[in-house]
Every structure is written in structure tokens, then in C-alpha cells.
């Protein structure tokens, strides 16, 4: 995308159905994934709509999505689009940090999710899965929406903050985290600082969490030399260009930001993967066969053995095509943009929809059909569950490793069946992160 030239440029086409003052808010809130697909089919590559006063341009198709994802923060700012996260992550953290500090913080966050740390995380996750299934017995029925939220909370606190925290403080953490999540409801995107009980609870939770994490940081600084293998260790060791370390506030912010990026995305995907494994019998039989060939009764699931499980990977990738947890990615336009002769003015929001992109029939024929063997699209930026460009998901490898560890352990031991009629297992569009509508009940039985 280039900066606007002096020649007059066209403006993006406007989506029909705008209402006075609220614009398209009502239709957007009712089912934003479907609304975004309507925008694209009505207006094409660039479609402008009104989100309660905020003009927003949806960019669709691989070329426009590539331009969106590759344009740097100075022109298309995430910070300006995600200001609601500031009181949750903390003052001076990520989207509230000056650009050089934000870059350094993101690098430290990425370092905590690097390959070298993954071995320890995979051991932690496999152990958590074993503890989780230990009292399942031979058969039963569970709401897996709840189950995966709990399991991934345990794996996340364990990998992020270490074993002691996981064992002693997960319950308090769960409550604090819940209050932080409530502080990110839609209203927070209008003004996250208004007088509201949910925002007071958010601020209290944020302060308490910093107290808890500050306590561990102090302990660890006094015991330097001990290896913990968790993400907190990397956050504490990380430095800015001048050699200074992150403050307790900044470290707490990175913990919260990593939790927000990874928790619901992982639990929603795990729930959808299990649901699809239960209903796509033909393909799940292939996956089971593959897992049986890789692991016998007594073999341990290790980091090395998790590296290549191609059929399971393709299955999860197809789950992520149909049910991408982050449907809508947003940026605020800082400088006027000329996109192929159309002007997108500074001050507007631009957005891309992974959900819509994954249903583009040019790249995914018969898009609603679950088919892990469908050919990959011959163009980049059509399949974008993890985004792309400079801010592509930092937890991509972690997320895939965790999903493989879960299903490599579950599938050879149990078979799963839907409890309710097939058509009741639907995407739930009421939250920012996509998940199956609850409850998501499945029956399991030992093989
Ligand atoms: C299936 C699971 C996941 C999906 C589908 C997913 C998807 C995404 C997407 C689409 C983005 C880009 C957002 C944007 O461009 O605005 C992103 C960013 C990010 N994700 Fe994930 N994510 C997943 C799991 C995780 C996990 C488990 C972690 C951490 C443990 C994580 C950490 C991050 C971080 C730190 C970023 C921001 C990167 C940056 O700003 O440079 N994600 N994720």
C-alpha cells in the first residue's frame, strides 16, 4: 500500500443497510462473521461500513489481506485499534508502550515461545493431559467446552508461571483472569475508563495479579541460577536495548497478554477439533490409524514424537479453516492509504476476516464441507488462521504442539460421540474469540 498521491482517488464502496447513529452495529453484533461476508459479496475487495460512528473498511481477498498484514505499525496501527487492552495489560505495556519498547517487549514474548523452550512445555502439557484423564474411567459424558477451558488454563499457568504457581495459585488466578476478561467486553472498545463495576473489578484484578507475580519475581531474583523452563523466566531475563530489565508491571502485562492471546484460541480450537473428530468418522479413522502406527501402548508422547503427525496436522488445519478463533483482525489507519487507486483515509479502521477468507470459493471449493485432504490454495494469504507478516501469531508452534499432544493422548484411548443432534454444534459468534456454542457435550468410551 502506498501513501495517497495528489490525483483524486476513488473511495471504498459503502455497505447498504446503515442506520442513523448506530450505523451497522446491530447487524454486526447479531452475527459479525456473516455480516462481514455480506460486506464482501456486496462491495468486493474494499467494503466500508459504520460501527457506531467508526468508519471501518473490510479488506477481502488474498491480495488485500497481504497488504493489510504486511503494512507496518507506523501506517496501520494495532495500538490505536486495541486501546481497550491498555487497562488490562497495563500502562506502558505492548499497545501502550512507545514503539521501540513495544518492539522489545514483543521480542521477549516471542523468545518465551521459541523452539528451545518448547521441549519443556510439551512435557508439561503431556503431564497435564494425563492428570486430566486420570479419573475418566471407562466411559462417561462431559461438556468439553468447559473441560478444554480448564485444561488449557492449567497448561497455560504451568507453562507461563511455573509448577508452584500452577499447583498453589491457579484458582485465584482463574478468578482474577475472569475479571480481566469481563473488562474487555464490547463497551470497553467505546471507552475503557468509564465508571462501571466491571472496570473497577478489572482494575482490582490487575493490581492483585501484579502483587502475586511480583512476589514470584522477587523470589526468583533472589535465587538467580535456578532454571525454571517457563515463560516467566524469559520475561525476567529479558532486557531493553540499554540493558535495563522489564519492571514488575511490564512482566505482569506480558503474562496477561500471552494468556489473552493463547487461552481461548487454544481451548476453542481443541473443542472444535474433538467435535469434528467425533463427527467426521472417515477422516478420524485415518488419524487414529496414524497415531497407532506412531505410538504403541507404552510409548511416551515426547516433544520429538510430536513433531510430525501429518494427518492429525491436516485435520487440525481444516478445523482452523472452518472455525478460525480470531475472525476479525483490525488496525487503525494512521496515514492515508492508496490501495490500488482507492483512498482509505487516516482515522478509519481497516479489518480483515479470516472466517470469510476461508470460505472464498476461488480458493476453497465447496467451502462448508470438512475435507482435510483438500488441496492447499496456490496463493499465500488465503489461509490465514494465524495471521501473517510481521505480527503473525507468535504462539503458532506452541498452539499446534499443544493440540497434537492432547489428541495424540486422547484418540488412541477413547472413542467420542456427539450427545446432541449434529446441527446443534454451531459456531458461537457472541464472543470475540470463536468457539462452539455451549454446552458441547460428547460421550467417550474406552477403545
Ligand atoms: C489455535 C490457536 C491460535 C490461533 C488461531 C491464533 C491466531 C493469532 C492471530 C490471527 C494473530 C494475529 C493478530 C493480528 O494480526 O492482529 C495472533 C497473534 C499472536 N498470538 Fe496467536 N493464536 C493462537 C494461539 C496462540 C498461543 C497459544 C499463543 C501464546 C502462547 C499466542 C500468542 C500470540 C501473540 C503473542 C500474538 C501477537 C504477535 C505480535 O503482535 O507480533 N497465540 N494469533
Amino acid at each position: 500500500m502506498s501513501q495517497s498521491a495528489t490525483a483524486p482517488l476513488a473511495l471504498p464502496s459503502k455497505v447498504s443497510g446503515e442506520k442513523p447513529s448506530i450505523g451497522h452495529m446491530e447487524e454486526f453484533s447479531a452475527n459479525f462473521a456473516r455480516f462481514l461476508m455480506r460486506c464482501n459479496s456486496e462491495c468486493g475487495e474494499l467494503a466500508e461500513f459504520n460501527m457506531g460512528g467508526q468508519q471501518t473498511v473490510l479488506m477481502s481477498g488474498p491480495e488485500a489481506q497481504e497488504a493489510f498484514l504486511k503494512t507496518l505499525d507506523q501506517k496501520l496501527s494495532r495500538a490505536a485499534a486495541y486501546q481497550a487492552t491498555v487497562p488490562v495489560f497495563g500502562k506502558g505495556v505492548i499497545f501502550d508502550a512507545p514503539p521501540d519498547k513495544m518492539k522489545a517487549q514483543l521480542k521477549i514474548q516471542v523468545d518465551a515461545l521459541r523452539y528451545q523452550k518448547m521441549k519443556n512445555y510439551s512435557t508439561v502439557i503431556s503431564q497435564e493431559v494425563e492428570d486430566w484423564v486420570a479419573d475418566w474411567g471407562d466411559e462417561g459424558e462431559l461438556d468439553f467446552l468447559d473441560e478444554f477451558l480448564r485444561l488449557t488454563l492449567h497448561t497455560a499457568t504451568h507453562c507461563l508461571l511455573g509448577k508452584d504457581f500452577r499447583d498453589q495459585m491457579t484458582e485465584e488466578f482463574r478468578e482474577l483472569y475472569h475479571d480481566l476478561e469481563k473488562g474487555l467486553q464490547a463497551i470497553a472498545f467505546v471507552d475503557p475508563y468509564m465508571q462501571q463495576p466491571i472496570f473497577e473489578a478489572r482494575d482490582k484484578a490487575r493490581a492483585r495479579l501484579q502483587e502475586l507475580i511480583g512476589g514470584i519475581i522477587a523470589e526468583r531474583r533472589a535465587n538467580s541460577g535456578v532454571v525454571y523452563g517457563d515463560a516467566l523466566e524469559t520475561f525476567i531475563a529479558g532486557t531493553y536495548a540499554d540493558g535495563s530489565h522489564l519492571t514488575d508491571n511490564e512482566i505482569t502485562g506480558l503474562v496477561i497478554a500471552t494468556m489473552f492471546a493463547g487461552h481461548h484460541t487454544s481451548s476453542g480450537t481443541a473443542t472444535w477439533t474433538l467435535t469434528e473428530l467425533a463427527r467426521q468418522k472417515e477422516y478420524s479413522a485415518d488419524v487414529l490409524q496414524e497415531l497407532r502406527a506412531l505410538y504403541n501402548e507404552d510409548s511416551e508422547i515426547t516433544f520429538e514424537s510430536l513433531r510430525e503427525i501429518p494427518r492429525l496436522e491436516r485435520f487440525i488445519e481444516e478445523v482452523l479453516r472452518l472455525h478460525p478463533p480470531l475472525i476479525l483482525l483490525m488496525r487503525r489507519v494512521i496515514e492515508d492509504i492508496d490501495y490500488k487507486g482507492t483512498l482509505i483515509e487516516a482515522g478509519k479502521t481497516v479489518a480483515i476476516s479470516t472466517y470469510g477468507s476461508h470460505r472464498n470459493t476461488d480458493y476453497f471449493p465447496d467451502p462448508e464441507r470438512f475435507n482435510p485432504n483438500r488441496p492447499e490454495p496456490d496463493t499465500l494469504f488465503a489461509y490465514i488462521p494465524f495471521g501473517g507478516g510481521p505480527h503473525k501469531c507468535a504462539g503458532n508452534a506452541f498452539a499446534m504442539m499443544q493440540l497434537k499432544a492432547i489428541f495424540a493422548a486422547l484418540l488412541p484411548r477413547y472413542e467420542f460421540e456427539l450427545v446432541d443432534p449434529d446441527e446443534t454444534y454451531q459456531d458461537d459468534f457472541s464472543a470475540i474469540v470463536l468457539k462452539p456454542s455451549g454446552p458441547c457435550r460428547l460421550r467417550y468410551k474406552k477403545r
Side-chain angles (χ1 to χ4, degrees):
M1 281 193 266
S2 58
Q3 214 173 324
S4 72
T6 41
L9 298 168
L11 291 172
S13 307
K14 295 216 171 180
V15 177
S16 65
E18 185 169 343
K19 293 191 176 159
S21 77
I22 57 166
H24 296 92
M25 201 68 182
E26 222 170 51
E27 191 183 346
F28 179 91
S29 306
N31 183 329
F32 64 104
R34 299 276 147 74
F35 170 68
L36 296 172
M37 287 174 73
R38 175 170 92 76
C39 294
N40 175 226
S41 63
E42 192 176 298
C43 302
E45 221 180 0
L46 300 182
E48 182 164 330
F49 58 95
N50 176 347
M51 289 276 293
Q54 179 59 42
Q55 289 305 125
T56 304
V57 178
L58 176 70
M59 305 180 71
S60 303
E63 203 184 334
Q65 285 154 194
E66 177 172 4
F68 172 102
L69 289 167
K70 284 190 171 167
T71 301
L72 298 178
D73 283 345
Q74 293 87 318
K75 280 190 172 183
L76 288 189
S77 162
R78 292 180 312 154
Y82 296 132
Q83 277 301 299
T85 62
V86 173
V88 178
F89 296 175
K91 284 286 270 171
V93 181
I94 306 194
F95 298 127
D96 192 48
D100 55 335
K101 274 205 157 179
M102 171 169 148
K103 210 168 153 197
Q105 289 172 3
L106 286 173
K107 186 186 167 296
I108 294 167
Q109 194 182 30
V110 168
D111 283 346
L113 297 166
R114 272 192 203 292
Y115 177 81
Q116 295 88 314
K117 306 220 65 157
M118 217 56 83
K119 194 166 179 166
N120 191 43
Y121 297 154
S122 71
T123 310
V124 164
I125 291 169
S126 295
Q127 192 50 55
E128 288 287 354
V129 175
E130 290 305 320
D131 293 350
W132 176 49
V133 299
D135 58 359
W136 276 23
D138 286 347
E139 56 188 316
E141 186 187 303
L142 290 168
D143 174 1
F144 279 91
L145 201 55
D146 273 0
E147 291 295 318
F148 279 122
L149 272 173
R150 197 156 51 89
L151 174 68
T152 52
L153 179 77
H154 290 165
T155 59
T157 49
H158 203 152
C159 293
L160 271 172
L161 295 164
K163 181 166 170 24
D164 288 350
F165 189 97
R166 152 72 179 101
D167 290 344
Q168 293 154 29
M169 283 183 249
T170 299
E171 280 317 305
E172 184 172 1
F173 182 88
R174 182 204 308 275
E175 279 166 30
L176 298 173
Y177 175 58
H178 188 60
D179 283 344
L180 290 176
E181 283 184 314
K182 282 199 288 189
L184 261 189
Q185 285 170 21
I187 188 168
F189 289 83
V190 180
D191 176 3
Y193 301 103
M194 57 177 99
Q195 290 280 318
Q196 286 274 342
I198 51 162
F199 294 155
E200 272 169 41
R202 169 200 69 194
D203 296 343
K204 260 195 185 162
R206 174 68 179 70
R208 173 67 185 145
L209 203 56
Q210 187 166 323
E211 230 171 65
L212 289 180
I213 293 174
I216 321 176
I217 297 171
E219 226 173 80
R220 290 198 183 184
R221 286 204 167 122
N223 290 314
S224 60
V226 180
V227 176
Y228 296 92
D230 53 26
L232 184 63
E233 176 179 69
T234 312
F235 298 162
I236 294 174
T239 53
Y240 292 113
D242 65 0
S244 62
H245 287 280
L246 275 65
T247 62
D248 286 9
N249 169 52
E250 290 163 346
I251 293 174
T252 304
L254 283 194
V255 169
I256 298 171
T258 312
M259 199 65 205
F260 270 80
H263 182 227
H264 283 273
T265 45
S266 297
S267 71
T269 307
T271 316
W272 262 128
T273 302
L274 190 65
T275 305
E276 295 293 8
L277 282 165
R279 66 178 174 197
Q280 311 292 341
K281 294 286 183 211
E282 179 193 343
Y283 301 119
S284 57
D286 283 352
V287 176
L288 177 62
Q289 198 186 38
E290 172 179 65
L291 290 173
R292 282 197 165 135
L294 284 173
Y295 305 100
N296 62 42
E297 282 270 295
D298 310 312
S299 60
E300 247 183 78
I301 295 175
T302 61
F303 177 56
E304 285 72 25
S305 71
L306 282 171
R307 289 185 64 190
E308 296 224 336
I309 316 180
R311 285 187 205 164
L312 177 56
E313 278 165 36
R314 277 207 304 275
F315 195 97
I316 296 168
E317 282 160 8
E318 181 68 350
V319 169
L320 285 168
R321 182 185 70 78
L322 279 168
H323 314 287
L326 297 186
I327 295 181
L328 186 66
L329 310 184
M330 291 192 296
R331 312 279 189 259
R332 183 69 55 80
V333 183
I334 303 296
E335 291 173 14
D336 283 0
I337 297 283
D338 168 359
Y339 178 75
K340 298 200 301 194
T342 301
L343 173 67
I344 308 176
E345 292 154 301
K348 289 184 179 172
T349 294
V350 280
I352 60 173
S353 163
T354 55
Y355 188 91
S357 181
H358 296 173
R359 282 162 172 76
N360 182 334
T361 48
D362 291 345
Y363 305 97
F364 305 102
D366 195 4
E368 294 299 339
R369 186 168 161 247
F370 188 94
N371 176 11
N373 300 329
R374 66 172 62 243
E376 269 180 44
D378 56 5
T379 175
L380 294 172
F381 297 97
Y383 179 75
I384 45 169
F386 292 102
H391 296 301
K392 184 172 179 186
C393 176
N396 184 344
F398 180 99
M400 287 306 281
M401 178 273 289
Q402 165 151 273
L403 291 161
K404 287 191 279 181
I406 293 171
F407 293 103
L410 282 192
L411 211 56
R413 281 185 233 181
Y414 294 100
E415 53 185 322
F416 295 89
E417 261 178 31
L418 305 183
V419 170
D420 298 303
D422 195 339
E423 65 282 4
T424 60
Y425 297 77
Q426 297 277 350
D427 286 315
D428 174 358
F429 297 110
S430 66
I432 284 179
V433 181
L434 191 69
K435 59 181 168 52
S437 53
C440 187
R441 288 188 298 218
L442 285 106
R443 239 185 318 270
Y444 60 88
K445 195 167 169 216
K446 212 157 207 159
R447 291 193 192 273

